[in-house]
Coordinates of all heavy atoms in Angstrom, one line a residue:
M93 N 0.8 -1.2 0.0 CA 0.0 0.0 0.0 C 0.9 1.2 0.0 O 1.8 1.4 0.8 CB -0.9 0.0 1.2 CG -1.7 1.2 1.4 SD -2.7 1.1 2.9 CE -3.7 2.5 2.7
I94 N 0.6 2.1 -0.9 CA 1.3 3.4 -1.0 C 0.5 4.5 -0.3 O -0.7 4.6 -0.5 CB 1.6 3.8 -2.4 CG1 2.4 2.7 -3.2 CG2 2.2 5.2 -2.5 CD1 2.5 2.9 -4.6
I95 N 1.2 5.2 0.6 CA 0.5 6.3 1.3 C 0.6 7.5 0.5 O 1.6 8.0 0.1 CB 1.2 6.5 2.7 CG1 1.0 5.3 3.6 CG2 0.6 7.8 3.4 CD1 1.5 5.5 5.0
Q96 N -0.6 8.1 0.3 CA -0.7 9.4 -0.4 C -0.8 10.5 0.6 O -1.7 10.5 1.5 CB -2.0 9.4 -1.3 CG -1.9 8.3 -2.4 CD -3.2 8.3 -3.2 OE1 -4.2 9.0 -2.9 NE2 -3.2 7.6 -4.3
N97 N 0.1 11.5 0.5 CA 0.1 12.5 1.5 C -0.9 13.6 1.3 O -1.1 14.4 2.1 CB 1.5 13.2 1.5 CG 2.5 12.2 2.1 OD1 2.2 11.4 3.0 ND2 3.7 12.3 1.6
D98 N -1.7 13.6 0.2 CA -2.6 14.6 -0.1 C -4.0 14.3 0.4 O -4.9 15.1 0.1 CB -2.6 14.9 -1.6 CG -3.0 13.7 -2.4 OD1 -2.9 12.6 -1.9 OD2 -3.5 13.9 -3.6
R99 N -4.2 13.2 1.1 CA -5.6 12.9 1.6 C -5.5 12.2 2.9 O -4.4 11.7 3.3 CB -6.4 12.1 0.6 CG -5.9 10.7 0.4 CD -6.8 9.9 -0.5 NE -6.6 8.5 -0.4 CZ -7.4 7.8 0.5 NH1 -8.2 8.3 1.3 NH2 -7.2 6.4 0.6
L100 N -6.5 12.3 3.7 CA -6.6 11.6 5.0 C -6.9 10.2 4.9 O -7.6 9.7 3.9 CB -7.7 12.3 5.9 CG -7.4 13.8 6.1 CD1 -8.6 14.4 6.9 CD2 -6.2 14.0 6.9
M101 N -6.4 9.4 5.8 CA -6.6 7.9 5.8 C -7.8 7.6 6.7 O -8.0 8.2 7.7 CB -5.4 7.2 6.3 CG -4.1 7.4 5.6 SD -2.7 6.6 6.4 CE -3.0 4.9 5.9
T102 N -8.5 6.5 6.3 CA -9.5 6.0 7.2 C -8.9 5.1 8.3 O -7.7 4.7 8.1 CB -10.5 5.2 6.4 OG1 -9.9 4.0 5.9 CG2 -11.2 6.0 5.3
I103 N -9.6 4.7 9.2 CA -9.2 3.8 10.3 C -8.8 2.5 9.6 O -7.8 1.9 10.0 CB -10.2 3.6 11.4 CG1 -10.5 5.0 12.1 CG2 -9.8 2.5 12.4 CD1 -9.3 5.5 12.8
D104 N -9.6 2.0 8.7 CA -9.4 0.7 8.1 C -8.1 0.7 7.3 O -7.3 -0.2 7.2 CB -10.5 0.3 7.2 CG -11.8 -0.1 8.0 OD1 -11.6 -0.5 9.2 OD2 -12.9 -0.1 7.5
E105 N -7.8 1.8 6.6 CA -6.6 2.0 5.8 C -5.4 2.0 6.7 O -4.4 1.3 6.4 CB -6.6 3.2 4.9 CG -7.6 3.2 3.8 CD -7.8 4.5 3.1 OE1 -7.5 5.6 3.7 OE2 -8.2 4.5 1.9
A106 N -5.5 2.7 7.8 CA -4.3 2.8 8.7 C -4.1 1.4 9.3 O -3.0 0.9 9.5 CB -4.6 3.8 9.8
A107 N -5.2 0.7 9.7 CA -5.0 -0.7 10.3 C -4.4 -1.6 9.2 O -3.5 -2.4 9.6 CB -6.4 -1.2 10.7
Y108 N -4.8 -1.5 8.0 CA -4.2 -2.4 7.0 C -2.8 -2.1 6.8 O -1.9 -3.0 6.7 CB -5.0 -2.1 5.6 CG -4.4 -2.9 4.5 CD1 -4.8 -4.3 4.3 CD2 -3.5 -2.4 3.6 CE1 -4.3 -5.0 3.3 CE2 -3.0 -3.1 2.5 CZ -3.4 -4.4 2.4 OH -2.9 -5.1 1.3
Y109 N -2.4 -0.8 6.8 CA -1.0 -0.4 6.6 C -0.1 -0.9 7.8 O 1.0 -1.3 7.6 CB -0.9 1.1 6.5 CG 0.5 1.6 6.3 CD1 1.1 1.4 5.0 CD2 1.2 2.2 7.3 CE1 2.4 1.9 4.8 CE2 2.5 2.6 7.1 CZ 3.1 2.4 5.9 OH 4.4 2.8 5.7
L110 N -0.7 -0.8 9.0 CA 0.1 -1.2 10.2 C -0.1 -2.7 10.5 O 0.6 -3.1 11.5 CB -0.4 -0.3 11.4 CG -0.1 1.2 11.3 CD1 -0.8 1.9 12.5 CD2 1.4 1.4 11.3
N111 N -0.9 -3.4 9.8 CA -1.1 -4.8 10.0 C -1.7 -5.1 11.4 O -1.2 -6.0 12.1 CB 0.2 -5.6 9.7 CG -0.1 -7.1 9.5 OD1 -1.2 -7.4 9.0 ND2 0.8 -7.9 9.8
V112 N -2.6 -4.3 11.8 CA -3.3 -4.5 13.1 C -4.8 -4.4 12.8 O -5.3 -4.0 11.7 CB -2.9 -3.4 14.1 CG1 -1.4 -3.5 14.4 CG2 -3.3 -2.0 13.6
Y113 N -5.6 -4.8 13.8 CA -7.1 -4.6 13.7 C -7.5 -3.2 13.9 O -6.8 -2.4 14.6 CB -7.7 -5.5 14.8 CG -7.6 -7.0 14.6 CD1 -6.8 -7.7 15.4 CD2 -8.4 -7.6 13.6 CE1 -6.7 -9.1 15.2 CE2 -8.3 -8.9 13.4 CZ -7.4 -9.7 14.2 OH -7.3 -11.0 14.0
P114 N -8.6 -2.8 13.2 CA -9.1 -1.4 13.4 C -9.3 -1.0 14.9 O -9.0 0.1 15.3 CB -10.4 -1.4 12.6 CG -10.2 -2.4 11.6 CD -9.4 -3.5 12.2
R115 N -9.7 -2.0 15.7 CA -9.9 -1.7 17.1 C -8.6 -1.2 17.8 O -8.6 -0.4 18.7 CB -10.4 -3.0 17.8 CG -10.8 -2.8 19.2 CD -12.1 -2.0 19.3 NE -12.1 -1.2 20.5 CZ -12.5 0.0 20.6 NH1 -13.0 0.6 19.6 NH2 -12.5 0.6 21.8
T116 N -7.5 -1.7 17.3 CA -6.2 -1.3 17.9 C -5.9 0.2 17.5 O -5.4 0.9 18.4 CB -5.0 -2.2 17.3 OG1 -5.3 -3.5 17.6 CG2 -3.7 -1.7 17.9
I117 N -6.3 0.6 16.3 CA -6.2 2.0 15.9 C -7.0 2.9 16.8 O -6.6 3.9 17.3 CB -6.5 2.2 14.4 CG1 -5.6 1.3 13.5 CG2 -6.4 3.6 14.0 CD1 -4.2 1.6 13.6
Y118 N -8.3 2.5 17.0 CA -9.2 3.2 17.9 C -8.6 3.4 19.3 O -8.6 4.4 19.9 CB -10.6 2.6 18.0 CG -11.4 2.8 16.8 CD1 -11.8 1.7 16.0 CD2 -11.9 4.0 16.4 CE1 -12.6 1.9 14.8 CE2 -12.7 4.2 15.3 CZ -13.0 3.1 14.5 OH -13.8 3.3 13.4
R119 N -8.0 2.3 19.8 CA -7.5 2.3 21.1 C -6.3 3.3 21.2 O -6.1 4.1 22.1 CB -7.0 0.9 21.6 CG -6.6 0.8 23.0 CD -6.3 -0.6 23.5 NE -5.1 -1.1 22.8 CZ -5.1 -2.1 22.0 NH1 -6.2 -2.8 21.7 NH2 -3.9 -2.5 21.5
K120 N -5.4 3.3 20.2 CA -4.3 4.2 20.1 C -4.7 5.6 20.0 O -4.1 6.5 20.6 CB -3.3 3.8 19.0 CG -2.7 2.5 19.1 CD -1.8 2.4 20.3 CE -1.1 1.0 20.4 NZ -0.4 0.9 21.6
I121 N -5.8 5.9 19.4 CA -6.4 7.2 19.3 C -6.8 7.7 20.6 O -6.5 8.8 21.1 CB -7.5 7.3 18.3 CG1 -7.0 7.1 16.8 CG2 -8.3 8.6 18.4 CD1 -8.1 6.9 15.8
Y122 N -7.6 6.8 21.3 CA -8.1 7.2 22.6 C -7.0 7.3 23.7 O -7.2 8.1 24.6 CB -9.2 6.2 23.1 CG -10.5 6.4 22.3 CD1 -11.0 5.4 21.5 CD2 -11.3 7.6 22.4 CE1 -12.1 5.6 20.7 CE2 -12.4 7.8 21.7 CZ -12.9 6.8 20.9 OH -14.0 7.0 20.2
E123 N -6.0 6.6 23.5 CA -4.8 6.7 24.4 C -4.0 7.9 24.2 O -3.1 8.2 24.9 CB -3.9 5.4 24.3 CG -4.5 4.2 24.9 CD -3.7 2.9 24.5 OE1 -2.7 3.0 23.8 OE2 -4.0 1.8 25.1
G124 N -4.2 8.5 23.0 CA -3.5 9.7 22.7 C -2.2 9.4 21.9 O -1.3 10.3 21.7
V125 N -2.0 8.2 21.5 CA -0.7 7.8 20.8 C -0.8 8.2 19.4 O 0.2 8.6 18.8 CB -0.5 6.3 21.0 CG1 0.7 5.8 20.2 CG2 -0.4 5.9 22.4
L126 N -2.0 8.1 18.8 CA -2.2 8.5 17.4 C -3.1 9.7 17.3 O -4.1 9.7 18.1 CB -2.8 7.3 16.6 CG -1.9 6.2 16.2 CD1 -2.6 5.0 15.6 CD2 -0.8 6.7 15.2
L127 N -2.8 10.6 16.5 CA -3.7 11.8 16.3 C -4.7 11.5 15.1 O -4.3 11.1 14.1 CB -2.8 13.0 16.0 CG -3.5 14.3 15.7 CD1 -4.3 14.8 17.0 CD2 -2.6 15.4 15.3
A128 N -5.9 11.8 15.4 CA -7.0 11.6 14.4 C -8.0 12.7 14.5 O -8.1 13.3 15.6 CB -7.6 10.2 14.6
Y129 N -8.8 12.8 13.5 CA -9.8 13.9 13.4 C -11.1 13.2 13.0 O -11.2 12.2 12.3 CB -9.5 14.9 12.3 CG -8.2 15.5 12.4 CD1 -7.1 15.0 11.6 CD2 -7.9 16.5 13.3 CE1 -5.9 15.6 11.7 CE2 -6.6 17.1 13.5 CZ -5.6 16.6 12.7 OH -4.4 17.1 12.8
K130 N -12.2 13.7 13.6 CA -13.5 13.1 13.3 C -14.1 14.1 12.2 O -14.4 15.2 12.5 CB -14.4 13.1 14.5 CG -15.4 11.9 14.4 CD -16.0 11.6 15.8 CE -16.6 10.3 15.7 NZ -17.3 10.0 17.0
V131 N -14.3 13.5 11.0 CA -14.8 14.3 9.9 C -16.1 13.7 9.5 O -16.2 12.6 9.0 CB -13.8 14.3 8.7 CG1 -14.4 15.1 7.5 CG2 -12.5 14.8 9.1
G132 N -17.2 14.4 9.6 CA -18.5 13.9 9.3 C -18.9 12.6 10.0 O -19.5 11.8 9.5
G133 N -18.4 12.5 11.2 CA -18.8 11.3 12.1 C -17.8 10.1 11.8 O -18.0 9.1 12.4
V134 N -16.8 10.3 11.0 CA -15.9 9.2 10.6 C -14.5 9.7 11.0 O -14.1 10.8 10.7 CB -15.9 8.9 9.1 CG1 -14.9 7.8 8.8 CG2 -17.3 8.5 8.7
W135 N -13.7 8.8 11.7 CA -12.4 9.1 12.1 C -11.5 9.1 10.9 O -11.5 8.2 10.1 CB -11.9 8.1 13.1 CG -12.4 8.3 14.5 CD1 -13.4 7.6 15.1 CD2 -12.0 9.3 15.4 NE1 -13.7 8.1 16.3 CE2 -12.8 9.1 16.6 CE3 -11.1 10.3 15.4 CZ2 -12.7 9.9 17.7 CZ3 -11.0 11.1 16.6 CH2 -11.7 10.9 17.7
R136 N -10.6 10.1 10.8 CA -9.6 10.2 9.7 C -8.2 10.5 10.3 O -8.2 11.2 11.4 CB -10.0 11.3 8.7 CG -11.3 11.1 8.0 CD -11.2 10.0 7.0 NE -12.5 9.8 6.4 CZ -12.7 9.3 5.2 NH1 -11.6 9.0 4.5 NH2 -13.9 9.1 4.7
M137 N -7.2 10.1 9.6 CA -5.8 10.3 10.1 C -5.0 10.9 9.0 O -5.1 10.5 7.9 CB -5.2 9.0 10.6 CG -6.1 8.3 11.6 SD -5.4 6.7 12.0 CE -3.9 7.1 12.8
E138 N -4.0 11.7 9.4 CA -3.1 12.2 8.4 C -2.0 11.1 8.2 O -1.5 10.5 9.2 CB -2.4 13.4 8.9 CG -3.3 14.6 8.9 CD -2.6 15.9 9.2 OE1 -1.4 16.0 9.1 OE2 -3.3 16.9 9.6
P139 N -1.6 10.8 7.0 CA -0.6 9.8 6.7 C 0.7 10.0 7.5 O 1.3 9.0 7.9 CB -0.4 9.8 5.2 CG -1.7 10.4 4.7 CD -2.1 11.4 5.7
Q140 N 1.1 11.2 7.6 CA 2.3 11.6 8.4 C 2.2 11.0 9.8 O 3.3 10.6 10.3 CB 2.6 13.1 8.4 CG 2.8 13.7 7.0 CD 1.5 14.1 6.4 OE1 0.4 13.8 6.8 NE2 1.6 14.8 5.2
E141 N 1.1 11.1 10.4 CA 0.9 10.6 11.8 C 1.1 9.1 11.8 O 1.8 8.6 12.8 CB -0.5 10.9 12.3 CG -0.7 12.3 12.7 CD 0.3 12.8 13.8 OE1 0.4 12.0 14.8 OE2 0.8 13.9 13.7
V142 N 0.6 8.4 10.9 CA 0.8 6.9 10.8 C 2.3 6.6 10.6 O 2.8 5.7 11.3 CB 0.0 6.3 9.7 CG1 0.2 4.8 9.6 CG2 -1.5 6.6 9.9
L143 N 3.0 7.3 9.7 CA 4.4 7.0 9.5 C 5.2 7.4 10.7 O 6.2 6.7 11.0 CB 4.9 7.9 8.3 CG 4.3 7.4 6.9 CD1 4.8 8.4 5.8 CD2 4.8 6.0 6.6
K144 N 4.8 8.5 11.4 CA 5.5 8.8 12.6 C 5.4 7.7 13.7 O 6.4 7.4 14.4 CB 5.0 10.2 13.1 CG 5.8 10.7 14.3 CD 5.4 12.2 14.6 CE 4.0 12.3 15.0 NZ 3.6 13.7 15.5
Y145 N 4.2 7.2 13.8 CA 4.0 6.1 14.7 C 4.8 4.9 14.4 O 5.4 4.2 15.3 CB 2.5 5.7 14.7 CG 2.2 4.5 15.6 CD1 2.2 4.7 17.0 CD2 2.0 3.3 15.1 CE1 2.0 3.6 17.8 CE2 1.7 2.2 15.9 CZ 1.7 2.3 17.3 OH 1.5 1.3 18.1
V146 N 5.0 4.5 13.1 CA 5.7 3.4 12.7 C 7.2 3.6 13.0 O 7.9 2.6 13.5 CB 5.6 3.2 11.2 CG1 6.6 2.1 10.6 CG2 4.2 2.7 10.8
R147 N 7.7 4.8 12.8 CA 9.1 5.1 13.0 C 9.5 5.3 14.5 O 10.7 5.3 14.8 CB 9.5 6.3 12.2 CG 9.4 6.0 10.8 CD 9.8 7.2 10.0 NE 9.7 6.9 8.5 CZ 9.2 7.7 7.7 NH1 8.7 8.8 8.0 NH2 9.1 7.3 6.4
Q148 N 8.5 5.4 15.4 CA 8.7 5.6 16.8 C 9.4 4.4 17.5 O 8.8 3.3 17.3 CB 7.3 5.9 17.4 CG 7.2 6.6 18.6 CD 5.7 6.9 18.9 OE1 5.0 5.9 18.9 NE2 5.4 8.1 19.1
P149 N 10.4 4.6 18.2 CA 11.0 3.5 19.0 C 10.0 3.0 20.1 O 9.4 3.9 20.7 CB 12.3 4.0 19.5 CG 12.2 5.5 19.5 CD 11.2 5.8 18.4
R150 N 9.9 1.7 20.3 CA 9.0 1.2 21.3 C 9.7 0.2 22.2 O 10.6 -0.5 21.7 CB 7.8 0.5 20.6 CG 6.8 1.5 20.1 CD 5.6 0.7 19.6 NE 5.2 0.7 18.2 CZ 5.8 1.1 17.1 NH1 6.9 1.6 17.2 NH2 5.2 1.1 15.9
R151 N 9.2 0.1 23.4 CA 9.8 -0.9 24.3 C 9.0 -2.2 24.0 O 7.8 -2.2 23.8 CB 9.6 -0.5 25.7 CG 10.5 0.7 26.1 CD 10.3 1.2 27.4 NE 10.1 0.3 28.4 CZ 9.8 0.5 29.7 NH1 9.6 1.8 30.0 NH2 9.7 -0.4 30.6
I152 N 9.7 -3.3 24.1 CA 9.0 -4.6 23.8 C 8.6 -5.2 25.2 O 9.1 -5.1 26.1 CB 10.0 -5.6 23.1 CG1 10.3 -5.0 21.7 CG2 9.3 -6.9 23.0 CD1 11.3 -5.8 21.0

């Protein structure tokens, strides 16, 4: 999947890109780990936020 920087991603697209369930994306949003916007009642994310999350060092 190629990330296009000119549009917002849906939760399902972000989940597919990160290889996780959409519920995990929702949890990360509510935890404040991922930044998302509610547009017309649907959560959307900037592709840069998803890439930033991927590149972030994490403890195992």
Side-chain angles (χ1 to χ4, degrees):
M93 174 179 186
I94 298 172
I95 292 184
Q96 297 176 351
N97 290 327
D98 60 339
R99 68 179 202 87
L100 298 175
M101 298 176 79
T102 65
I103 297 297
D104 288 337
E105 290 172 336
Y108 178 81
Y109 181 76
L110 295 174
N111 198 30
V112 297
Y113 289 107
R115 187 74 209 138
T116 304
I117 301 296
Y118 284 113
R119 189 174 67 243
K120 296 296 181 186
I121 291 168
Y122 287 113
E123 290 173 353
V125 176
L126 286 171
L127 179 64
Y129 308 98
K130 214 165 196 185
V131 179
V134 179
W135 285 102
R136 300 289 178 150
M137 306 173 68
E138 291 187 17
Q140 297 87 351
E141 286 296 317
V142 176
L143 290 174
K144 188 167 65 171
Y145 176 75
V146 169
R147 293 181 180 133
Q148 200 174 57
R150 285 184 241 13
R151 292 172 45 185
I152 296 177

